[in-house]
Amino acid sequence: MQTELSKELGVEHAIFGFTPFPAVAAAISRAGGFGVLGAVRYTDPTDLERDLDWIEANVDGRPYGLDVVMPAKKVEGVSEADVEAMIPEGHRQFVEDTLAKYGVPELAEGEASGWRITGWMEQVARGQLDVAFDYPIRLLANALGSPPADVIRRAHDRGVLVAALAGSARHARKHAEAGIDIVVAQGYEAGGHTGEIASMVLTPEVVDAVGPLPVLAAGGIGSGQQVAAALSLGAQGVWLGSVWLTVTEADMHSPAVTRKLLAAGSGDTVRSRALTGKPARQLRTEWTDAWDDPDGPGTLPMPLQGLLVADAVSRIQKYEVEPLLGTPVGQIVGRMNSERSVQEVFDDLTRGFEHAVDRINRIAGRGEEA
């Protein structure tokens, strides 16, 4: 599964794997793909440095990258405390009432929330980059579109390619104008923040809009047949995230979440603003239902919502309150029905890809049976 882009990056398969888990990122690269570590949870740069050290020691010299979350427009002088002060008291009360309804215990006294969506703040993301650029990363991806121009220049000065996610051809053209090297066309089916357009429609639209820039297809992809379909639509690779959540190398910290993922069907996800304030596909739970209920207070815009629910999500996760327990995941969750290693996932992807290509060749009259 090689393309011009995979050859440029020196990987065997044009499969880019986004994951918050260092062990999974390293395993993806070792399996012949391109592992991309999500950095949004690293509010302390020393933690990121520790995990990049680990990846360096366990990636067998294979290439890898980093995914950050930062706005294209620079915002000066805004602290987390400033943002926290903007959260209405009524929304805080709604959170506490919902947790009380399900009997969710408090965190222990002095125990800090382990779930803080603060990586969106520019000063946090820039601190992550200060660490990351000391390592031989080959790709910097930004989940909120094009990063600031000075970040793109800084990456290019170090020979690092820059990728940005797009949910429409219009967004993709803006990325191209900003100097992005790779556009990730992320369809409606994807886990996490998504737009309104499905992958089958979006991928060729983006390819036509930004060519000859390479495009990666994302959203609802979890089989080799789907990889073949993405490449046939003009993509130079695929960007996979959800499929790695149930691999044996993933450190989910919650057996209950893993059980729910393995049991879920493709119709058991919902695009909700409950987690961050922007539409993000995740497992549908009684927590997402509460926030989407028209009788509730409604969600706050990003980043207020993420800060509002941070402690609540930590409490739900720590005590594994199953009715409320969820995670971002795409519609491909319906295929994630067993725990496998990263290598086993790659083996399945390559077999499926070969079967799909053979079938198309036979249809086109180029196979052995023609």
Side-chain angles (χ1 to χ4, degrees):
M1 291 185 282
Q2 280 204 331
T3 64
E4 291 181 14
L5 179 60
S6 65
K7 291 176 183 177
E8 179 182 354
L9 288 168
V11 296
E12 184 180 356
H13 304 299
I15 295 174
F16 294 71
F18 164 79
T19 174
F21 307 119
V24 178
I28 291 168
S29 291
R30 289 198 308 271
F34 190 98
V36 182
L37 178 66
V40 70
R41 66 189 178 92
Y42 291 98
T43 56
D44 185 341
T46 59
D47 292 337
L48 179 59
E49 183 176 6
R50 176 202 64 214
D51 284 353
L52 288 176
D53 281 339
W54 189 93
I55 288 176
E56 270 292 297
N58 289 275
V59 81
D60 294 346
R62 305 291 182 90
Y64 62 93
L66 191 76
D67 180 278
V68 297
V69 179
M70 63 191 309
K73 295 181 179 179
K74 191 171 184 178
V75 180
E76 300 281 4
V78 178
S79 68
E80 184 177 337
D82 294 331
V83 178
E84 289 265 18
M86 302 177 189
I87 297 174
E89 186 56 37
H91 281 73
R92 295 185 188 277
Q93 189 60 52
F94 178 77
V95 169
E96 289 306 316
D97 290 346
T98 303
L99 295 177
K101 176 181 177 181
Y102 291 90
V104 182
E106 296 274 359
L107 294 175
E109 185 175 353
E111 182 178 359
S113 166
W115 191 94
R116 300 291 285 178
I117 295 295
T118 53
W120 62 268
M121 299 184 71
E122 184 167 348
Q123 62 267 35
V124 175
R126 285 183 178 273
Q128 294 163 351
L129 294 179
D130 288 340
V131 171
F133 283 141
D134 286 336
Y135 291 81
I137 62 171
R138 294 294 310 282
L139 176 71
L140 172 66
N142 189 40
L144 284 184
S146 303
D150 69 295
V151 171
I152 297 174
R153 288 193 299 269
R154 190 177 175 191
H156 287 167
D157 288 345
R158 289 163 172 76
V160 176
L161 298 179
V162 180
L165 276 65
S168 71
R170 178 175 60 86
H171 292 156
R173 281 189 287 267
K174 288 185 176 181
H175 296 341
E177 292 167 1
I180 293 298
D181 304 294
I182 302 167
V183 176
V184 181
Q186 186 178 44
Y188 172 85
E189 308 95 326
H193 296 124
T194 68
E196 303 284 346
I197 306 172
S199 300
M200 183 66 74
V201 176
L202 179 64
T203 301
E205 285 187 353
V206 171
V207 169
D208 290 344
V210 302
L213 278 184
V215 173
L216 301 178
I221 301 173
S223 72
Q225 291 88 339
Q226 291 169 311
V227 175
L231 299 188
S232 72
L233 293 173
Q236 287 207 31
V238 293
W239 178 274
L240 309 184
S242 296
V243 294
W244 315 114
L245 292 175
T246 53
V247 296
T248 54
E249 294 90 342
D251 186 11
M252 287 296 291
H253 298 295
S254 173
V257 169
T258 300
R259 287 197 302 271
K260 293 186 81 169
L261 288 170
L262 295 174
S266 56
D268 293 328
T269 69
V270 62
R271 287 172 75 245
S272 171
R273 298 177 184 268
L275 195 61
T276 69
K278 285 183 176 290
R281 187 172 296 285
Q282 54 204 279
L283 284 177
R284 181 176 181 176
T285 66
E286 293 183 34
W287 177 255
T288 62
D289 286 349
W291 281 104
D292 294 338
D293 189 333
D295 292 332
T299 56
L300 297 171
M302 190 181 195
L304 300 181
Q305 182 71 16
L307 293 173
L308 168 66
V309 304
D311 288 344
V313 172
S314 286
R315 289 164 62 183
I316 292 167
Q317 290 177 345
K318 176 177 179 179
Y319 299 108
E320 295 197 315
V321 184
E322 293 211 23
L324 305 180
L325 190 62
T327 185
V329 69
Q331 291 179 329
I332 198 63
V333 70
R335 293 182 63 94
M336 296 159 49
N337 48 26
S338 64
E339 292 187 76
R340 300 176 293 168
S341 69
V342 167
Q343 185 61 61
E344 287 173 321
V345 172
F346 266 84
D347 291 343
D348 183 60
L349 290 171
T350 53
R351 280 194 302 267
F353 178 82
E354 290 168 358
H355 291 161
V357 171
D358 287 345
R359 181 171 186 273
I360 294 300
N361 281 333
R362 288 196 300 272
I363 292 170
R366 292 191 294 269
E368 293 179 2
E369 299 176 8

